[in-house]
Amino acid sequence: KRNVLIIGAGGVAQVVAHKAAQHNDRLGDLHIASRTVAKAEAIIESVHAKDAMKVPGVFQAHALDAMDTAAVVALIKATGCQIVINVGSPFVNMTVLDACIQTGVAYMDTAIHEDAGKICEAPPWYGNYEWKRREACKAAGVTAILGVGFDPGVVNAYARVAEGLMDSIESIDIVDINAGSHGKWFSTNFDPEINFREFTGTVYSWQNGAWQSNTMFEVGQTFDMPVVGAQKAYLTGHDEVHSLSARYPQADVRFWMGFGDHYINVFTVLKNLGLLSEQPVTTAEGLEVIPLKVVKAVLPDPASLAPDYTGKTCIGDFVKGTKDGKPVEVLIYNVADHKDAYTEVGAQGISYTAGVPPVAAALLIADGIWDVGTMANVEDMDPAPFINLLNDIGLPTRIKEAAGDRLLEF
Ligand code: NDP
């Protein structure tokens, strides 16, 4: 038993906490730390309300400023945790990783590090911060698994599975469709500041062996997805395009996210009016405001969406390549249900798909299977035990190929 420290107390942390509690017989003591300790306490309360702890054990909340490496080091030492699941905001990633390197404990996160001062990171995303610490991880024997949510995360493992099915990979198209409905006139599914930031910058993809630039909503395509049907998705920049293009430089690697026309209309109006700007403006009354902060203040709190969310998500990889000289194509995917997620762990489906994988990774590290003692992206790891475990703990993987559509098991 390694004991686990969860950092952050948002939507994804809610899922991580419930899933870790369901497996505390294997993980040991659980701790959750966030800037606002009341949020961490509320998550523990919801775990107890669902009687989610598999065996009686420790689950403790702590106040922590995760931007302060020394404070993270002190908490790791005080709790005796050997695995840190960082699901705080992406601004804290490097301070938390540094603390894990200093204390020699395992680290994982679900998104690339972002500098709070920048609008959006540009490629090479992992090269900007994370991979610079690879040698330090190796020297300290620290297992650091980067981006182990769903996308990035499980979709990287899907690409690795496809690698084993083909002689060469020609293209990887990751498609993320949320066909759910939250019932509000307009809302973002995550913190609007983070959500809009993702779509205001340049859209990068890896095609013809080089980075290509587009703008958001410039390139769209309809994908025929299982369960949720034909869905329009748009070329979007995403962390995993970088790590996957480093492993498969000969392949085109693209990320597509589904959006309805309504979302695009609202986004376009807000953006063109200047309401997504982080630059302060002064009103006629002399009041200085940041437009994006005002928009955030009037939009629904994303955390409030979960109870009424219905419908499904479908996220997967369309991979094309060749096998024995012939063209082959597979779709490897998962379908998750918003209502089922809420019933089980009190969160919507998108948080669920992001929060279950790091707990699977923690279990694999605790069992020694993924405890590689160095820094790795998910596609560097053996996907078989990960996918088998996800099948068992709530995120089953299916594969659609010429022969048909089946559960993927190893
Ligand atoms: P939330 O915004 O809901 O939660 C972030 C949490 O981090 C909050 O509890 C916040 O505290 C805490 N936090 C922020 N700064 C600090 C700090 N300095 N010290 C301690 N705690 C801090 O985010 P989500 O739960 O939606 O997402 C969490 C992470 O997961 C993000 O990095 C996101 O990008 C990633 N993600 C990954 C996905 C994937 O599939 N790979 C999908 C979805 C999300 P406070 O409450 O006080 O603000």
Side-chain angles (χ1 to χ4, degrees), residues 7-13 33-36 39 64-67 87-90 92 110-111 149-152 190-191 194 350 353-354:
I7 292 185
V12 179
S34 196
R35 192 164 49 185
T36 315
K39 287 195 189 174
L64 174 72
D65 176 6
M67 297 288 273
V87 282
S89 82
V92 308
T110 63
F150 206 96
D151 46 341
F190 293 112
D191 182 340
I194 306 268
I350 303 168
T353 57

Side-chain angles (χ1 to χ4, degrees), residues 173 175 177 218-224 230-235 254 256-258 318 320:
D173 286 286
V175 183
I177 301 293
E218 184 188 341
V219 186
Q221 192 177 317
T222 300
F223 291 88
D224 192 17
Q231 297 278 344
K232 184 103 189 248
Y234 295 84
L235 199 64
R254 292 169 289 242
W256 305 82
M257 190 171 274
F318 289 88
K320 287 185 188 168

Side-chain angles (χ1 to χ4, degrees), residues 18-28 52 54 359 363 393:
H18 277 256
K19 276 291 168 193
Q22 291 172 14
H23 299 281
N24 73 330
D25 55 329
R26 287 162 68 190
L27 294 173
K54 177 132 185 215
V359 177
L363 287 163
I393 69 170

Side-chain angles (χ1 to χ4, degrees), residues 17 30 57 61 72 75 95-96 98 101 108 117 145 155 182 187 189 240 258 301 307 313 322 340 349 367 374 387:
L30 304 177
V72 182
L75 186 61
T95 45
V96 174
D98 288 344
I101 294 171
M108 69 193 86
I145 303 182
V155 297
H182 49 56
S187 176
N189 291 305
E240 56 271 46
D301 174 2
T313 63
T322 54
D340 290 351
D367 290 350
T374 189
I387 283 170

